[in-house]
């Protein structure tokens, strides 16, 4: 794979011989795709088991960055290698790169739940290596008609009595853009290796389309372009991957039928994609190696905590009958109906509990970090088990629209010595408290 600063030419063809011709690494060349499944041609020659696979890919700058392009090429090469003759000697393992690589796109948004991505390595060396990660949640604002500038969803009006407060002009109307600017300013001095995303990507109700469409079908809502790609950019931000989870507003906020699966499928590109979005499943994991330590990241879907029986009157009931339409369904992947909705999320959570404990038990990393949307006041018993019995070191969350840290020494931190970070002040929705015009507060921001 190319280095971070290397840019591929406008069109690249990759010819991978499946037969062993020296080290497998010599077959690695740059390559790319137009989008999911966009191979121009795949041909096999010979009889019986194919002995040669030729794949042609074309790269477009609007789709994938250089390292994402390399990841696609590796996938082609590997699939060709797997078709080689049984007599061929085994191929060496692919090198550990600093790019998170997802497998081929699935048919449904739930198909890759529990997947572990290939290990990633950040091998920066020197006397004082500089290693940085950004954390942000609840960041995606709304677009008014005929506008391409996102503004925060307004939750401080009298429609939400418990959050009512004065409107701070110049802050509350531009919070997402102000936070993005602060990220660019920080990245110019301390560029992140990657960005961790706590969910609630688009307010009020996620990607504005219907769930259940084929994963290769990208909905043209304009949100990815104007709320994500065109906002989070600049030196130190460009080309840095966003690793994330879904929040309750990605499902619809008070419904379950928004195109939450589109927030998964964007992992494999879309019309405006720069190839940096990584949310391959509702829950998944990745191991990151640094020069002298490693981290196991566990990405969890905790939206079960905002699901109740359909007749439960709650503004945050994803499964409520007040806002879900008659016949609401996400098709075969589920939830298949309003009645099925609470049980579907309960099963999703139960599967994650088993998955979490199995993988925590076998973790060999020095650090175990959980990334999810809801703070651990929801599901506290599970979090207490995972922190005290399995040693989760750090929990990164959002949902509360502010910036907060539970330190190991805080007497109110019931999960001590585990640290909890809440980064829900990304600016997609107005903050819970009154913001300072100069940002000297804990309302809007990132970590």
């Amino acid at each position: 794979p190319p280095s971070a600063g290397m840019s591929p030419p406008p069109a690249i063809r990759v010819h991978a011989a499946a037969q062993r011709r020296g080290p497998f690494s010599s077959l690695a060349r740059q390559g790319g795709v137009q989008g999911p499944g966009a191979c121009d041609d795949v041909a096999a020659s010979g009889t019986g088991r194919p002995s040669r696979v030729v794949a042609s890919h074309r790269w477009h700058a609007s789709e994938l960055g250089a390292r994402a392009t390399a990841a696609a090429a590796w996938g082609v090469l590997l699939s060709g290698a797997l078709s080689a003759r049984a007599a061929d000697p085994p191929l060496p393992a692919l090198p550990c790169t600093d790019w998170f690589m997802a497998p081929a796109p699935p048919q449904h948004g739930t198909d890759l739940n529990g997947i572990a991505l290939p290990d990633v390595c950040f091998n920066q060396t020197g006397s004082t290596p500089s290693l940085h990660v950004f954390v942000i949640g609840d960041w995606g604002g709304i677009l008014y008609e005929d506008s391409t500038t996102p503004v925060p969803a307004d939750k401080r009006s009298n429609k939400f009595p418990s959050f009512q407060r004065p409107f701070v002009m110049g802050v509350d109307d531009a919070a997402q853009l102000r936070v993005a600017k602060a990220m660019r300013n920080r990245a110019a001095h301390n560029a992140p290796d990657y960005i961790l995303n706590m969910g609630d990507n688009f307010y009020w109700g996620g990607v504005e389309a219907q769930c259940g469409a084929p994963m290769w079908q990208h909905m043209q809502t304009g949100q990815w372009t104007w709320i994500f790609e065109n906002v989070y950019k600049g030196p130190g931000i460009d080309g840095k991957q966003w690793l994330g989870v879904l929040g309750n507003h990605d499902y619809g906020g008070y419904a379950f039928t928004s195109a939450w699966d589109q927030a998964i499928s964007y992992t494999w590109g879309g019309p405006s994609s720069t190839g940096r979005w990584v949310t391959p499943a509702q829950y998944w994991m990745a191991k990151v190696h640094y020069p002298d330590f490693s981290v196991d990241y566990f990405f969890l879907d905790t939206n079960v905590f905002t699901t109740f029986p359909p007749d439960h009157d709650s503004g945050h009931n994803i499964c409520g009958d007040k806002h879900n339409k008659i016949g609401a369904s996400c098709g075969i992947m589920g939830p298949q109906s309003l009645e099925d909705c609470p049980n579907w999320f309960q099963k999703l959570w139960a599967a994650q509990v088993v998955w979490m404990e199995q993988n925590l038990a076998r973790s060999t990393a020095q650090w175990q970090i959980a990334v999810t949307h809801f703070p651990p006041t929801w599901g506290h018993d599970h979090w207490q088990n995972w922190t005290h019995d399995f040693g989760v070191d750090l929990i990164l969350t959002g949902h509360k629209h502010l910036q907060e840290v539970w330190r190991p020494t805080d007497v109110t931190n019931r999960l001590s010595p585990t640290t909890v970070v809440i980064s829900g002040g990304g600016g997609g929705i107005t903050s819970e408290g009154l913001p300072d015009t100069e940002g000297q507060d804990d309302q809007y921001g990132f970590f």
Side-chain angles (χ1 to χ4, degrees):
S3 64
M6 184 180 295
S7 298
I12 301 162
R13 299 180 68 85
V14 178
H15 298 279
Q19 291 179 314
R20 184 178 178 84
R21 297 182 182 178
F24 181 63
S25 59
S26 67
L27 295 177
R29 296 293 185 269
Q30 298 177 43
V33 297
Q34 292 178 324
C39 289
D40 292 326
D41 59 288
V42 177
S45 62
T47 57
R49 188 184 297 272
S51 62
R52 178 175 171 82
V53 174
V54 179
S56 171
H57 281 316
R58 295 193 180 276
W59 176 90
H60 288 267
S62 62
E63 283 291 321
L64 298 174
R67 282 180 288 181
T69 299
W74 275 110
V76 174
L77 295 172
L78 182 57
S79 62
L82 294 177
S83 299
R85 295 191 302 271
D88 289 343
L91 298 169
L94 298 179
C96 185
T97 72
D98 60 355
W99 191 258
F100 295 87
M101 299 185 188
Q107 185 174 0
H108 306 109
T110 56
D111 289 351
L112 295 181
N113 281 349
I115 189 173
L117 298 190
D119 289 11
V120 173
C121 296
F122 291 89
N123 295 319
Q124 186 175 8
T125 59
S127 57
T128 56
S130 182
L131 308 169
H132 300 275
V133 177
F134 287 180
V135 178
I136 186 172
D138 303 72
W139 49 267
I142 61 177
L143 296 174
Y144 287 115
E145 188 175 358
D146 299 326
S147 173
T148 57
T149 301
V151 297
D154 189 359
K155 197 175 180 179
R156 42 98 263 154
S157 69
N158 55 13
K159 294 181 179 179
F160 304 93
S162 60
F163 295 96
Q164 190 172 358
R165 62 165 178 79
F167 187 84
V168 181
M169 187 64 68
V171 180
D172 284 326
D173 56 336
Q176 182 185 356
L177 301 182
R178 286 169 62 98
V179 173
K181 181 179 179 180
M183 292 175 69
R184 287 194 298 273
N185 291 342
R186 174 65 67 178
H189 301 284
N190 301 118
D193 295 327
Y194 45 89
I195 297 165
L196 297 174
N197 169 28
M198 306 299 107
D200 274 6
N201 306 310
F202 302 115
Y203 283 92
W204 282 98
V207 177
E208 296 172 345
Q210 169 73 32
C211 59
M215 293 291 283
W216 50 263
Q217 182 178 332
H218 299 289
M219 305 299 183
Q220 300 276 13
T221 68
Q223 291 167 286
W224 291 109
T225 300
W226 302 113
I227 304 176
F228 176 61
E229 300 288 2
N230 285 9
V231 172
Y232 302 101
K233 60 183 181 178
I237 299 292
D238 292 339
K240 300 303 173 68
Q241 290 179 289
W242 285 54
L243 318 178
V245 295
L246 302 179
N248 54 304
H249 285 270
D250 297 313
Y251 286 95
Y254 46 49
F256 67 85
T257 53
S258 288
W260 54 268
D261 45 347
Q262 287 283 302
I264 293 174
S265 71
Y266 200 68
T267 300
W268 293 274
S272 61
S273 173
T274 54
R276 50 185 171 151
W277 186 265
V278 184
T279 305
Q282 291 170 294
Y283 64 98
W284 57 287
M285 62 183 294
K287 182 186 286 290
V288 180
H289 299 272
Y290 290 94
D292 56 354
F293 68 93
S294 59
V295 180
D296 272 337
Y297 284 108
F298 300 90
F299 297 83
L300 292 157
D301 187 308
T302 46
N303 293 292
V304 65
F305 300 115
T306 189
T307 62
F308 307 96
D311 60 354
H312 184 87
D313 186 15
S314 171
H316 275 83
N317 184 8
I318 289 177
C319 301
D321 57 13
K322 185 176 181 179
H323 298 283
N324 282 291
K325 297 178 180 179
I326 297 176
S329 175
C330 289
I332 190 172
M333 72 176 177
Q336 295 189 23
S337 67
L338 185 61
E339 293 71 27
D340 173 52
C341 182
N343 187 53
W344 186 87
F345 277 97
Q346 289 287 346
K347 288 181 178 179
L348 175 65
W349 179 242
Q352 290 178 87
V353 171
V354 174
W355 170 85
M356 187 73 166
E357 294 181 1
Q358 288 177 342
N359 286 284
L360 283 172
R362 64 171 63 108
S363 174
T364 59
Q366 281 76 23
W367 300 94
Q368 290 78 34
I369 299 177
V371 179
T372 193
H373 183 65
F374 279 82
T377 45
W378 287 268
H380 174 78
D381 290 345
H382 290 298
W383 288 113
Q384 191 161 39
N385 179 37
W386 295 337
T387 55
H388 292 177
D389 296 342
F390 289 93
V392 169
D393 301 287
L394 177 63
I395 302 172
L396 304 174
T397 72
H399 189 65
K400 295 174 64 177
H401 308 137
L402 45 70
Q403 303 294 100
E404 188 171 283
V405 178
W406 304 358
R407 296 171 177 82
T409 55
D410 291 346
V411 295
T412 56
N413 182 2
R414 297 169 60 192
L415 299 178
S416 178
T418 297
T419 296
V420 177
V421 171
I422 300 175
S423 188
I429 188 170
T430 51
S431 61
E432 297 189 9
L434 191 69
D436 179 76
T437 56
E438 300 300 321
Q440 302 301 317
D441 55 27
D442 57 2
Q443 296 306 307
Y444 296 119
F446 71 103
F447 283 93

